[in-house]
Amino acid sequence: MPTANRLRLPPPPTPISIIHVVPAITIGGLLRELQITEHLPADKFQSTIISIFDLDEEAALSSLVGPLVRLRFPATAYRDEAVICDALLHHFRVLQATLVHSYHCFADFYSIQAAYRLGIPFIRSVLGITQASWDAPLNRAQVLVDWADDVLEKELGVESKVSCTIVVSKDLKARLVAHGFCADKLEVSYPGVSLEAAQEWRPRGPTADGCTTIGFLHRIEPIKRPLDLLELGRLLQARGVHTLILYPRIGSMLREFESAVAASGLDKQFAGFSSNANLWSPAISPDLLLITSQSEGVPRVMLEAMARGIPVVAAKVGGIPEVIDDSVSGYLFEVGDLATAADIIMRLCNSSVERSRIARAAERVVVNRFSSHRQIADLLSVYEHCLRNVDDFQVGHQEA
């Protein structure tokens, strides 16, 4: 059986080479998370992004500034660990990686092995875990692999686990601890948004005919409960509230959703927009943001809306209540309680004073707690903590 040896590594080079490993998928929050890395101090850190698995939307990664390495594999390559791990090992060596930061369980599954074999501290960011993830054996195995002592000892010959896992909310940390994760290695770091970009945009308010635009700015996926919008549309119509619900034309349920809208007779209350559109462009410009999801972390789109003075009406799930103080900086409702959601929206539609009050409070929350500057400071703190402890890192190798 492999044994774990303690090696004393040389002092890290300056600037420190950090590798960010991601799957090539355009999760909006993931892309914006990576944009934060562009603002790390250049005299201390050199960031490189390695994307694995070229899926249909990987071109969006091209929008990121900075070095980007694409590892191209067939869609089924995730079953061949050796091929992917060897490729990552090669690039980690070439780039002289000092620290590896992975952003998704598919990336974790391989990059953790390459990092441990080279004795490189490993950090991961968990943006969100749903019940479906736990119910799917393959997903569960990939999410848990870096905490599984038996896997690390058997496959890699190491005793230590992940240096740190960054989670986006206290709620997610509590759920992971409940599943047996080590609380001491879970670091809560909320997403951050650019206050400078937000200052350039303000909601336009209801149109001359009194129509309020509601933004449902999520992929059309089951976990987002898009079909709730139909019932909400009926309730608002019955209350005489004139609204237009905007949604992106992307997601596994898009066809089903649009068919249901057409069959409902509410098609004039809905308008889809291109998934490539700027969410904060004049063409979209929502007056309210609506979140009906059954599971969330801390949605970055929610923070971006709050920073722009857009009132948020959201399901009370995940880390959302850690951001929104109900009836103070936004409004919350229980998942599926669309009658309450409709009442809240009607109240906001009918009162410019209420919209302004909520908007001002929401902006203060983001300025004080959720700026990109604060997120960068949190990230630097985690990186520096891991690097201070690099001498104690357990490095495994096969003995002859």
Side-chain angles (χ1 to χ4, degrees):
M1 172 161 176
T3 61
N5 291 341
R6 185 183 300 276
L7 302 182
R8 187 171 185 83
L9 302 179
T14 302
I16 293 166
S17 174
I18 297 181
I19 309 300
H20 307 272
V21 184
V22 301
I25 52 179
T26 57
I27 299 174
L30 174 58
L31 292 177
R32 287 186 285 275
E33 193 80 18
L34 290 171
Q35 287 169 342
I36 292 292
T37 66
E38 298 169 12
H39 303 288
L40 294 173
D43 60 332
K44 290 186 177 181
F45 299 98
Q46 173 61 56
S47 295
T48 302
I49 297 168
I50 295 181
S51 73
I52 58 177
F53 307 124
D54 283 341
L55 303 183
D56 55 348
E57 300 172 89
E58 65 91 31
L61 285 171
S62 300
S63 65
L64 296 172
V65 176
L68 172 63
V69 176
R70 288 187 177 89
L71 303 185
R72 301 180 181 276
F73 302 104
T76 56
Y78 69 86
R79 298 185 184 277
D80 191 343
E81 295 180 34
V83 172
I84 299 173
C85 287
D86 286 349
L88 287 172
L89 277 166
H90 169 73
H91 285 286
F92 289 176
R93 287 193 183 103
V94 169
L95 295 166
Q96 297 183 325
T98 309
L99 195 65
V100 174
H101 188 166
S102 177
Y103 287 85
H104 194 275
C105 62
F106 285 105
D108 296 346
F109 191 66
Y110 307 103
S111 54
I112 186 176
Q113 299 189 45
Y116 273 116
R117 285 169 179 161
L118 293 174
I120 304 170
F122 179 88
I123 298 171
R124 65 186 300 225
S125 286
V126 178
L127 303 182
I129 292 179
T130 67
Q131 191 58 47
S133 296
W134 297 112
D135 293 340
L138 177 61
N139 288 346
R140 183 173 173 81
Q142 289 169 332
V143 169
L144 292 175
V145 67
D146 45 329
W147 273 273
D149 289 327
D150 57 336
V151 172
L152 292 177
E153 291 177 3
K154 179 180 178 181
E155 301 294 334
L156 310 179
V158 300
E159 296 176 2
S160 65
K161 304 177 183 179
V162 169
S163 302
C164 177
T165 294
I166 300 172
V167 294
V168 296
S169 68
K170 294 176 182 176
D171 169 79
L172 181 53
K173 178 175 179 176
R175 283 192 284 150
L176 290 174
V177 170
H179 280 286
F181 291 8
C182 176
D184 291 342
K185 292 191 177 181
L186 292 171
E187 186 76 26
V188 176
S189 177
Y190 293 110
V193 296
S194 169
L195 302 179
E196 293 76 14
Q199 289 173 355
E200 300 173 0
W201 190 97
R202 282 294 178 270
R204 62 189 176 189
T207 59
D209 61 357
C211 180
T212 299
T213 303
I214 300 172
F216 182 83
L217 307 183
H218 308 282
R219 294 170 66 99
I220 308 301
E221 301 288 350
I223 197 169
K224 305 298 183 182
R225 297 177 63 98
L227 297 180
D228 282 1
L229 300 180
L230 297 176
E231 178 60 21
L232 183 63
R234 295 188 188 97
L235 290 170
L236 292 171
Q237 186 180 63
R239 287 164 168 76
V241 182
H242 188 192
T243 59
L244 178 66
I245 300 175
L246 300 175
Y247 65 91
R249 301 197 70 252
I250 187 172
S252 63
M253 282 186 66
L254 179 63
R255 182 176 296 182
E256 177 187 352
F257 173 70
E258 293 191 325
S259 296
V261 169
S264 70
L266 299 172
D267 47 301
K268 291 184 178 179
Q269 288 182 244
F270 290 84
F273 59 86
S274 168
S275 61
N276 296 321
N278 177 358
L279 295 182
W280 312 116
S281 68
I284 299 174
S285 189
D287 302 309
L288 308 175
L289 178 72
L290 176 66
I291 300 173
T292 58
S293 308
Q294 66 189 42
S295 179
E296 285 286 355
V298 173
R300 190 179 295 270
V301 70
M302 175 183 72
L303 300 178
E304 291 175 341
M306 293 171 69
R308 287 166 171 79
I310 301 173
V312 176
V313 181
K316 190 178 180 179
V317 293
I320 291 176
E322 298 171 36
V323 178
I324 292 179
D325 186 358
D326 191 19
S327 302
V328 176
S329 54
Y331 282 98
L332 303 176
F333 61 92
E334 298 296 333
V335 174
D337 185 0
L338 302 178
T340 297
D343 289 341
I344 293 168
I345 291 172
M346 182 172 66
R347 190 183 317 151
L348 290 168
C349 289
N350 293 336
S351 174
S352 60
V353 173
E354 180 67 0
R355 289 197 303 274
S356 296
R357 180 185 70 83
I358 293 292
R360 288 194 300 269
E363 286 183 74
R364 287 194 297 270
V365 168
V366 174
V367 168
N368 293 334
R369 297 177 53 204
F370 300 102
S371 72
S372 56
H373 301 292
R374 194 272 318 144
Q375 186 184 14
I376 293 167
D378 285 354
L379 191 60
L380 285 173
S381 177
V382 172
Y383 286 171
E384 289 168 354
H385 173 76
C386 290
L387 291 170
R388 280 197 301 270
N389 296 312
V390 72
D391 286 345
D392 294 328
F393 199 71
Q394 295 287 329
V395 182
H397 72 275
Q398 299 280 348
E399 288 195 346

